[in-house]
Amino acid sequence: MDTALFVGLAHKAALKRRMDVVAHNIANMSTTAFNKEKVVFRQHLVDAPGAAATSGGKISYVMDHGVLRNLDTGTMVPTNNPLDVFINGRGYLSVKGSDGETLYTRNGRMTVNSENYLTLLSGERVQDDSGQDIQFDDDDQDFSIADDGTISSNNGEKGKLGLATFTNEQSMKRRGTSLYESSEAPKEVEELTDVSVRSKAFESSNVNAIESMTEMIDVMRAYQNASKQSGGYEDMREDALKRLGRVQ
């Protein structure tokens, strides 16, 4: 297959990948604490066909290098729920996943389930600063959460939210729209001098609707142009072969 066609296919594949990520961002504009993402590409050089090893002839392809998460904090949205929290600073709540593993999230929308456990609205149990599930008594009410994460009710203190920070947040792997896992051990609680919480609020998605829609239009136009160029190249090649076939 011709080199130009290979390059064109690589370009269109990269644009399709970028479109998938932009569409995913737009779909999660209303998801609590969702971080928008962008694809990072890198250049991949190969020797040009027929080029001598010492001639330096190279062909440049674009390759998907990975996804970069935007770590800007979303807008604080006030609520009337005393169990909702907005995290100030680069902290994460520790929660128990469906398989019992510890996951991390900035989604601070919480409730008390039928078994009196503090959970996210999606069902994951919230853990305290010792890694245990937070459970209330049947007669607990009038909940409040202090800036340091201490949870209280009419019966006194009930525990403290497990907050964690990480040196390399980009290495965290997404396990849902706002849940993450990390192979890196979180910092100790006493080191969290720049992290606090504010109750009766939560963090919105940091996706900007206008920017994302504009990016989607740009990617769509770029893909259409790439398709036209590929079609034009195919037409020229077909015409050249016809002309070559008429040569006597």
Side-chain angles (χ1 to χ4, degrees):
M1 188 179 290
D2 294 313
T3 298
L5 190 54
F6 270 129
V7 173
L9 287 173
H11 183 204
K12 288 195 289 185
L15 289 171
K16 183 180 183 303
R17 171 67 169 137
R18 185 180 172 193
M19 176 64 81
D20 290 341
V21 173
V22 173
H24 185 257
N25 288 339
I26 293 175
N28 286 281
M29 285 191 298
S30 299
T31 300
T32 304
F34 177 81
N35 290 149
K36 66 181 179 182
E37 300 173 333
K38 70 174 182 178
V39 186
V40 178
F41 297 103
R42 65 183 178 88
Q43 185 183 50
H44 178 64
L45 297 176
V46 299
D47 294 329
T54 57
S55 66
K58 298 289 184 180
I59 298 174
S60 174
Y61 293 90
V62 59
M63 294 188 65
D64 183 353
H65 186 63
V67 175
L68 189 68
R69 186 158 57 101
N70 185 306
L71 299 178
D72 292 343
T73 303
T75 303
M76 183 173 65
V77 180
T79 72
N80 291 320
N81 181 8
L83 293 177
D84 286 343
V85 293
F86 174 87
I87 303 175
N88 292 301
R90 293 309 310 169
Y92 291 81
L93 293 174
S94 300
V95 301
K96 181 182 290 185
S98 57
D99 296 329
E101 74 278 37
T102 299
L103 301 177
Y104 304 95
T105 183
R106 289 181 61 83
N107 180 354
R109 303 200 71 180
M110 297 184 287
T111 187
V112 179
N113 69 7
S114 59
E115 299 176 305
N116 290 333
Y117 285 103
L118 181 64
T119 69
L120 300 181
L121 294 185
S122 52
E124 292 81 9
R125 292 182 181 179
V126 180
Q127 297 179 327
D128 62 17
D129 55 353
S130 62
Q132 301 300 311
D133 299 340
I134 299 175
Q135 188 174 27
F136 301 107
D137 297 323
D138 291 335
D139 59 344
D140 282 332
Q141 54 185 335
D142 298 330
F143 299 106
S144 64
I145 300 179
D147 291 350
D148 65 352
T150 299
I151 306 171
S152 302
S153 73
N154 56 308
N155 294 320
E157 292 187 4
K158 309 301 296 186
K160 189 175 182 180
L161 294 174
L163 294 168
T165 59
F166 298 89
T167 302
N168 184 10
E169 292 181 58
Q170 292 292 351
S171 67
M172 301 175 74
K173 296 181 179 180
R174 185 158 52 86
R175 284 285 303 274
T177 53
S178 58
L179 291 172
Y180 301 91
E181 63 180 351
S182 177
S183 57
E184 174 190 342
K187 295 180 181 179
E188 297 295 331
V189 174
E190 53 267 22
E191 296 181 41
L192 304 183
T193 56
D194 297 325
V195 176
S196 62
V197 299
R198 177 171 176 176
S199 65
K200 294 187 177 183
F202 66 87
E203 180 182 342
S204 70
S205 166
N206 66 1
V207 177
N208 183 293
I210 296 177
E211 288 180 356
S212 296
M213 291 300 297
T214 301
E215 184 179 4
M216 174 175 280
I217 293 171
D218 290 341
V219 174
M220 186 181 302
R221 289 175 176 171
Y223 190 90
Q224 291 172 343
N225 290 334
S227 297
K228 288 180 181 178
Q229 290 175 358
S230 297
Y233 173 76
E234 286 294 316
D235 291 341
M236 286 191 297
R237 186 177 67 167
E238 183 177 348
D239 184 63
L241 290 174
K242 288 181 180 178
R243 290 174 181 271
L244 184 62
R246 292 197 297 266
V247 175
Q248 302 295 328

